[in-house]
Amino acid sequence: MGIIRRAVWKLQDRRAQILLPSVLLAPIFVLVIYLLFETAKVSMTKVRQQFALDNAAYSQVSAASTYLNAVAMVNGPLPYRVLLYYKDQKVNPTQTAQASGRQPISIFELFYHGGGIPVIGPDYDTGINKAPKAESVDWGLQYDPKNEEFSRNDWQKEQPREPNSDEWVPVMSKSLVNDYYFSALKYGTAVIHNYLETYVRTGSIYESQSYVYKEVSKNAIMFREAYYLNTNDCKKSDCARQSASQLRRFITLGTKPFELDKVRFYASDSGMSGEHGGANNLDLPMTEIIKSKLFQFAYLDPSSRSKLRTLGRGVVLKQPFKLPKNHFNINLEQKYKPYVRNTVILACPRNNNNCVWPNPLPKYTVTLDP
């Protein structure tokens, strides 16, 4: 009986009333802690995988935007800014032209009006313009629209028509050299050399950019490397295979250089005074002089234009991932099939998403949406 009384007394004790529920709730607290821990592991894994996908997609597509912007820049804006140096170097009209009211013009205009240089708008009379504003979404770059000696209209298309192999292409205005003193000895040799050097270097930049992009886009290597470096659950050789294969179809962008072999310059056969003998042809075969054709610009092939239209709308990337094991031995992957996704967009301010050629505009940007 004494034992029973003590037991009843203990149950009636306030401290016992607190202890008993605590003992009963202890397993529940432990279970809740385990659940929180396992939930945190799942959340951390998904956050890591989402970051890896976003970082990989942005890195790979940013390489494409850099390449396209570089090609757009060498497609006219770069050589235009270089050769604009000659805007302050004037040539005088001949006596006959002066009598008809002609004023001195720049050496730059001899090339511009002859189709040798495309210019940024809006002034297409002289071709001499200030740099476009930062917010401008149309630089209006084109060849002289009034050039009737050798029209570039067939060049300023998404699929430009290349000149015939036996056709000499002038890059200076014959009519202007007829009316102005452009001495081969005083001006011509140095100016022509600088013109050729500008486009040779521009072509070299294009080739370098094309080589680098081809390497970093091959098999979506930048995408897979970035994904691998931000996760620890995949092999380097085949990391993020599903999303990489989806993106790879659209980043294999190709451009084709538009080049000239037979280039024609003009020069006067007299100096600043005396009789003017008119414009004489200076025909230079590029493959003999510089051992290659002379680069003018590059344009997208039809397949790449189609891919860019799709990239402008956005490409959805979806990547399954593995979940860590849990203390409850529940296969969450089989039940929920976890994955991360995003939408990557590569676009420029043009409806057809072609800002490479014609009217190049180096303003491709990359956007990631959920």
Side-chain angles (χ1 to χ4, degrees), residues 3 30 70 73 91 120-121 134 137 145 195 201 208 224 228 253 281 328 344 353 362:
I3 295 174
V30 173
M73 184 60 74
V91 288
I120 292 172
V137 294
Y195 176 88
R201 291 185 181 275
S208 298
R224 293 185 295 104
Y228 168 77
L253 303 172
N281 295 356
F328 305 101
V344 60
N353 209 24

Side-chain angles (χ1 to χ4, degrees), residues 2 26 30-31 56 68 105 185 228 256 259 267 284 300 345 359 367:
V30 173
L31 180 61
L68 294 174
I105 63 171
L185 295 177
Y228 168 77
K256 184 178 180 181
E259 300 170 315
L284 302 180
L300 292 163
I345 302 170
N359 189 12
T367 305

Side-chain angles (χ1 to χ4, degrees), residues 44-56 223-236 238-240 319-322 340:
M44 288 174 61
T45 301
K46 183 170 184 179
V47 169
R48 171 179 283 184
Q49 295 288 336
Q50 186 67 60
F51 175 80
L53 181 66
D54 291 346
N55 183 272
F223 181 89
R224 293 185 295 104
E225 287 278 353
Y227 205 105
Y228 168 77
L229 292 173
N230 285 288
T231 57
N232 57 2
D233 62 348
C234 62
K235 295 181 180 180
K236 189 175 182 179
D238 64 348
C239 201
Q319 180 60 44
F321 63 91
K322 297 178 181 178
V340 289

Side-chain angles (χ1 to χ4, degrees), residues 274-292:
E275 293 297 327
H276 181 65
N280 292 324
N281 295 356
L282 293 177
D283 294 340
L284 302 180
M286 294 294 102
T287 50
E288 295 180 16
I289 296 175
I290 62 175
K291 308 306 178 184
S292 65

Side-chain angles (χ1 to χ4, degrees), residues 20-35:
L20 184 59
S22 299
V23 172
L24 295 175
L25 290 175
I28 298 176
F29 289 145
V30 173
L31 180 61
V32 170
I33 291 173
Y34 271 109
L35 285 173

Side-chain angles (χ1 to χ4, degrees), residues 73 77 81 94 101 106 117 138 148 159 168 178 190 197 199 206 232-233 236 329 335 346:
M73 184 60 74
R81 299 308 300 180
T94 63
S106 66
I117 311 169
D138 185 1
E148 298 179 355
Q159 193 73 29
W168 287 95
N178 270 327
E197 184 178 19
Y199 273 99
Y206 164 73
N232 57 2
D233 62 348
K236 189 175 182 179
N329 292 323
K335 187 174 183 180
L346 173 63

